[in-house]
């Protein structure tokens, strides 16, 4: 499947992050978020980079479209909303739980076959309702349950064992590892365990952006095209109502986007222009403003991104400042991407 030799694995080191966002209050810069980001042009070349985009990092859930593409290649027949859920970090809404149950039923499996970590729903309001009802943490409610259900379904169809589907040596995980390297274009630096219990592969931000671009531009009939179409058509199934990543996809036509814990975001436009962002301290509040700035630098319409470019800072019920990208991330700071 590989069309070109793989680049070496990214270096495992302390990343040389740079300032990417300012937190202002009353006209004073109260805080600074450090991070790294990369902007790729239509030709796949780096058009702008800030920080350390070649260091090894963990994409966390931002890698789920790649994992989903690997499962589709292996025979996973899901499409549409259920395929979007298979790459989701869902909020735990009833539509998400119903979707996971549907995937499990298609696999002839049950919640007891899942090996993800029991948890409460991710969305605060959904979690509060869940708690008031006296419901305990469950594997179904955990935000990665769609991915895990899809992994079980893939294993059933391929005739692979279910009990060990999270073992890095399992055929499913080896298949995913191959897709990660192929789509990122580089060897993985390390394999560890994600919060949900699944294997987690370390790549560079550059590699992550390259994978997103390849999925976003994949030809019809390919596994990657099916993944892109599902995520674009059903962004809330991969996230939830009111989630910023779904709102961003709805705002920018054709945008493919996936967030991940610890301040990671990847996004790609239909023509292959792509960005990847890592906020060094894992702060979620800076992720979308920096991503919006990166997308504007990539050539996305700034008018569509205007409401994502800052987060308000308040005090005493009054607006006092904002979390904004640093001036170096203004669209005029870099040449127009090719």
């Amino acid at each position: 499947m590989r069309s070109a030799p793989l680049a070496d694995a990214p270096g495992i080191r302390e990343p040389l992050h740079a300032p990417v966002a300012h937190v202002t209050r009353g006209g004073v810069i109260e805080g600074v978020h450090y991070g790294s980001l990369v902007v790729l042009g239509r030709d796949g070349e780096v058009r702008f980079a800030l920080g350390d985009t070649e260091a090894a990092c963990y994409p966390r859930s931002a890698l789920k479209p790649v994992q989903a593409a690997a499962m589709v290649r292996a025979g996973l027949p899901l499409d549409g909303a259920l395929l979007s859920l298979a790459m989701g970090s869902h909020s735990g809404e009833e539509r998400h739980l119903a979707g996971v149950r549907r995937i499990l039923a298609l696999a002839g499996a049950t919640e007891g076959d899942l090996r993800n970590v029991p948890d409460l729903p991710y969305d605060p309001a959904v979690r509060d309702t869940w708690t008031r009802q006296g419901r305990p943490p469950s594997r179904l409610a955990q935000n990665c349950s769609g991915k895990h259900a899809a992994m079980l379904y893939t294993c059933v169809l391929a005739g692979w064992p279910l009990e060990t589907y999270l073992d890095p040596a399992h055929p499913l995980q080896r298949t995913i590892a191959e897709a990660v390297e192929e789509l990122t274009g580089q060897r993985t630096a390390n394999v560890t365990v994600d919060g949900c219990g699944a294997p987690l592969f370390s790549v560079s931000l550059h590699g992550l952006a390259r994978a997103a671009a390849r999925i976003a531009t994949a030809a019809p009939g390919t596994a990657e095209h099916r993944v892109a179409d599902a995520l674009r058509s059903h962004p809330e199934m991969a996230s939830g109502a009111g989630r910023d990543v779904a709102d961003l996809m709805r705002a920018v036509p054709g945008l493919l986007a996936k967030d991940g814990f610890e301040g990671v975001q990847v996004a790609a436009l239909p023509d292959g222009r792509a960005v990847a962002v890592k906020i060094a301290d894992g702060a979620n509040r800076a992720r979308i403003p920096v991503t919006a700035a990166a997308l504007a630098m990539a050539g996305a319409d700034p008018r569509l991104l205007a409401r994502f470019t800052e987060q308000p800072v308040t005090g005493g019920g009054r607006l006092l400042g904002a979390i904004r990208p640093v001036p170096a991330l203004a669209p005029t700071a870099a040449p127009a991407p090719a």
Side-chain angles (χ1 to χ4, degrees):
M1 291 183 183
R2 290 172 180 158
S3 57
L6 295 176
D8 291 340
I12 299 176
R13 59 175 179 262
E14 181 178 353
L16 300 174
H17 292 302
V20 293
H22 289 160
V23 183
T24 63
R25 182 184 295 271
V28 172
I29 296 176
E30 184 178 34
V32 179
H33 287 292
Y34 282 67
S36 296
L37 65 94
V38 63
V39 177
L40 303 185
R42 295 181 183 89
D43 56 4
E45 295 299 311
V46 174
R47 298 300 168 184
F48 182 84
L50 184 64
D52 197 345
T53 63
E54 303 298 343
C57 71
Y58 289 121
R60 303 299 296 269
S61 288
L63 199 62
K64 284 177 177 173
V66 177
Q67 293 171 308
M71 289 189 277
V72 172
R73 289 180 179 182
L76 182 69
L78 298 178
D79 282 297
L82 291 184
L83 182 54
S84 183
L85 180 60
M87 66 187 96
S89 305
H90 66 72
S91 291
E93 300 164 19
E94 185 51 45
R95 59 178 161 176
H96 300 132
L97 305 185
V100 176
R101 292 189 188 100
R102 176 61 179 156
I103 297 172
L104 289 172
L106 289 169
T110 68
E111 183 177 352
D113 294 310
L114 295 171
R115 295 291 183 267
N116 59 325
V117 178
D119 202 356
L120 297 172
Y122 177 75
D123 181 85
V126 178
R127 183 170 60 246
D128 288 347
T129 300
W130 185 283
T131 302
R132 284 196 302 271
Q133 293 172 345
R135 303 169 73 178
S138 80
R139 298 184 191 278
L140 202 67
Q142 197 269 337
N143 74 92
C144 299
S145 61
K147 177 183 75 174
H148 283 257
M151 285 181 170
L152 287 172
Y153 193 12
T154 304
C155 290
V156 167
L157 294 171
W160 295 331
L162 302 187
E163 296 79 7
T164 57
Y165 78 91
L166 295 183
D167 188 327
H170 190 281
L172 170 68
Q173 300 304 336
R174 291 203 306 267
T175 297
I176 291 173
E178 291 173 1
V180 169
E181 292 194 335
E182 178 192 341
L183 291 173
T184 63
Q186 63 185 173
R187 301 191 184 281
T188 56
N190 192 42
V191 181
T192 187
V193 180
D194 209 338
C196 65
L200 176 62
F201 305 92
S202 182
V203 299
S204 68
L205 277 183
H206 185 179
L208 180 62
R210 187 161 45 225
R214 288 173 173 174
I215 293 172
T217 59
T222 63
E224 292 79 16
H225 185 268
R226 278 174 55 189
V227 164
D229 186 61
L231 187 54
R232 289 175 180 138
S233 300
H234 303 274
E236 288 85 5
M237 285 299 286
S239 53
R243 293 272 292 276
D244 53 26
V245 67
D247 289 345
L248 184 65
M249 291 182 67
R250 293 292 187 195
V252 182
L255 184 70
L256 183 80
K258 186 69 187 74
D259 53 342
F261 279 160
E262 295 300 321
V264 181
Q265 180 72 57
V266 67
L269 293 160
D271 61 5
R273 289 172 290 166
V275 306
V277 170
K278 163 67 180 175
I279 306 301
D281 61 2
N284 204 43
R285 65 182 185 173
R287 173 179 50 82
I288 284 293
V290 174
T291 299
L295 283 170
M297 296 181 79
D301 189 340
R303 294 170 297 180
L304 302 177
L305 298 165
R307 64 190 177 95
F308 301 100
T309 57
E310 62 181 50
Q311 295 285 339
V313 171
T314 61
R318 294 186 294 127
L319 180 64
L320 297 176
I323 302 164
R324 298 188 182 95
V326 296
L329 298 184
T332 55

